[in-house]
Amino acid sequence: MEYILVSIFVIASIVGYFLIKNVPSLLHTPLMSGMNALSGITVLGALVATTLSVTVNNSVMGGIIGAVAIALAMINVVGGFVVTHKMLKMIAKDNSKKWIYLAIGGFALVIVALVILMACMGNSPLLYYILCGLLSVGVLAGIALLSKVQLSVMGNILSAVCMVLAIVITAVKYGIFTAWIYILLGLLAGIAVGLYFALKVKMIQMPQMVALLNGLGGLASAIVGAFAMIDIGGDTGAFSCVTSIIALSVGMLTLIGSLVAAGKLAKILPQKSVVYKGHQLMTIISLAVVAVCIVLFGVIPFSMPLAVVMLIVGTLFSSFFGYIFAIRVGGADMPITISLLNSLSGVAGAIAGLAIKDVLLVSVGGIVGASGLLLTQIMCKSMNRKLSTILLGKTSLTESGHPQSQSSASIVDNQSQVDSQPVQQIIKEQQPTLDPIQVLRNARDVIIVPGYGMAIAQAQHLVKELADKLQSNGAKIRYAVHPVAGRMPGHMNVLLCEANVDYEDLYEMEVINPDFATADAVIVVGANDVLNPSARNAEGTPIYGMPILDVDKCSNIFIFNYDTKPGYAGVDNPIYHRTDGVYMYLGNASDTLAQVLSQL
C-alpha cells in the first residue's frame, strides 16, 4: 500500500505541475488562493482523526484538538475558494460557457450516486478508490479550466464541488457521524471564519491573506501528523512513523514561516531582513535536529514515550527553523517565500495523507505542492535567484546601504519630505526642458508599469482613470507587469483588474519588452528594481542578471515613486541620472497622479 500511495503522490504532482504550467501569470494570485483552498483537503485527515479519538480512544481532548484541525482546514477551504471566486469574477467578466455548469452538476450527481452505492455495498474499497480517482481527475480538470481566463471561474467552482464531495465520501466511509458534535462545531467554526476573512479582505491585502492561509493549512496538517504519531489514524510501522513526523515538521515550519511572512507584509514585523549573530548556523542546526528526529522515529521501535518526545522536539525545532528562515527574508524575496510556503502547505497535507493512508489527501496535496513549486521556480527565474540560497537564508540583505547619487532627471513635482535636501536642490538647479503634461497629451502609445508602491498608495483606480483620460485623447494603453512586481505572484494583475482594467491590456514582460523602445511614453507607478538597468551590468549586486522591463529604452519616462531611494535590492537606479526625457513626480502616488489628472 505504501508504494501505491507514494506512486499516487508522484503522479499527481507531475500531472498537476504540467497542468498548472499552462496557467497564465495574470491568474497566479487566484491560483495561489485556489491552492490554499485545496490544501484544506487536510480536513479529511482531521475528520478521521477526530472520529477515532472520540470513538476508539474515548478522548475528549482528542475530539477538541480534532475539531480545531477541522476548523483550520475549513478556513482554508471556504476562505480560499470564496476569495478566488471574487478575484476571478473581476478578471473573467464574460462567462458564456453555461454548458460547463451543467457538466459540473452532472459530475456531482454521478459521484453522489456512486457514494450511495458504496454505502449500500458495505463501503466497498473498490468503489472508494474509483471515487478518489474521479475526484482527483475533477480537481485536475478544474486546474485545466483555470488555465483559460474565460473558463477560470468554472474551474474554481469545479474544484470546490470536488472538495465538498470529498468530505461527503470521507464521512460515509469512516462513519464520522459518531463524533458529530466535535465535527459539526469544527465545520461551522471554520466556515464562519473562512467566510469572514474572504468577505472582509481587500485586494491589497491578498499577499498577507495567502500567507495566513498557508500557515493555517500547515497547522492543520501538523495536527493530523501529530495524531498519526501517537497511533491515531496511522499505525506503528516505520513508514507511518516517518511520514507522520515529516508531516508534523513541514506543517509547523509552514505555520511559523507563514505567520512571519504575514506579519512582515502587514507591517507588524520589520519588512527588512532580520539577521541574528550565528543566523546561518542556527538555520542549519535546527534543520539537522529535525532530520535526526525523523530518522530516529523511523528506526527505533515505536513506543508512546518516544512518540511524545519526538513530537515535542520535532515541533520546537521545525517551528524555530520556520521562524529563523522567514525572519531573514526581506521584501525583495517575499514573492519567492510566499510561493514556497504555498507549496509546503500542500506537501504537508500530502505527507499527512501518506501517514494515515488517505488517497485523496495524498493526490490533492501533491497537486498543491506542485503548484507552489512551479510558482517558486517562476519567481526564482524572474529574480535570478537560486532556491537553495532562499532555503538557507541567504537573502538580499542590502536594503539601502549604498550611497545615493544625486539625480539628474527633471523633477517636476515633489509631494514628499523624504530626501528633501537633495531633491529641493535639483528642483532649483533644473527645470524640465519640455512640458511633461503636453508630452502626455501628445502620446499615442503609452505603457504603464505598476509596482508595489502603487499597492501601498492604493492608486490603482487613479492609474485606470489616467489611462482612460489618455485613451480619450487617442492613446493606446498597455500595462507591463513584471512577474515579481508586488509581494506575491500576480499581485499587480489583481489590483489592476479590481480597478476594471481589462485583462487583455495586461502584458507579460517577455511580450512587451521589445515595444518600450518605440513607445511614446512610459508611466511608472511605484516600481524600481524591476526596471533598474543595473541588472544588466552591475555585477555583484543583488539584482545582477535579473530579467527587467526595458523601461530605460523609452524616450519619455514618467515616474510616480515615493522617493529616489534605491529599491529593496539597495541598488541605485541609473534612470534617475538621465538628463532628458525623465519626469519624476515624487511623493504618494495617489496625490501625484491626482495632480497630473487635474492638469490633463
Side-chain angles (χ1 to χ4, degrees), residues 94-114:
D94 178 23
N95 298 300
S96 57
K97 306 291 184 179
K98 303 301 181 183
W99 64 268
I100 297 183
Y101 288 113
L102 296 176
I104 293 173
F107 174 77
L109 289 176
V110 169
I111 295 295
V112 170
L114 289 174

Side-chain angles (χ1 to χ4, degrees), residues 420-541:
S420 58
Q421 184 63 31
V423 168
Q424 289 176 2
Q425 287 177 358
I426 300 164
I427 292 174
K428 292 176 182 178
E429 294 170 6
Q430 297 194 26
Q431 292 296 326
T433 56
L434 296 174
D435 179 9
I437 300 301
Q438 194 60 43
V439 172
L440 277 179
R441 285 198 186 107
N442 295 335
R444 291 298 173 264
D445 186 3
V446 179
I447 300 175
I448 298 176
V449 178
Y452 187 53
M454 184 190 77
I456 294 176
Q458 299 186 44
Q460 61 269 29
H461 294 281
L462 284 169
V463 169
K464 179 62 166 63
E465 191 176 339
L466 176 60
D468 290 343
K469 183 68 175 178
L470 295 176
Q471 277 184 319
S472 68
N473 291 337
K476 173 186 177 183
I477 304 295
R478 289 173 293 171
Y479 298 80
V481 183
H482 193 280
V484 296
R487 289 299 173 264
M488 66 180 294
H491 190 190
M492 296 299 103
N493 297 317
V494 170
L495 291 177
L496 290 170
C497 287
E498 181 190 29
N500 290 319
V501 172
D502 196 309
Y503 74 88
E504 292 180 349
D505 294 333
L506 304 177
Y507 288 79
E508 297 183 16
M509 176 175 60
E510 295 80 5
V511 176
I512 203 168
N513 255 352
D515 296 340
F516 280 105
T518 57
D520 295 322
V522 170
I523 299 173
V524 177
V525 185
N528 193 338
D529 287 340
V530 298
L531 50 89
N532 192 336
S534 296
R536 301 191 191 109
N537 48 35
E539 295 186 28
T541 62

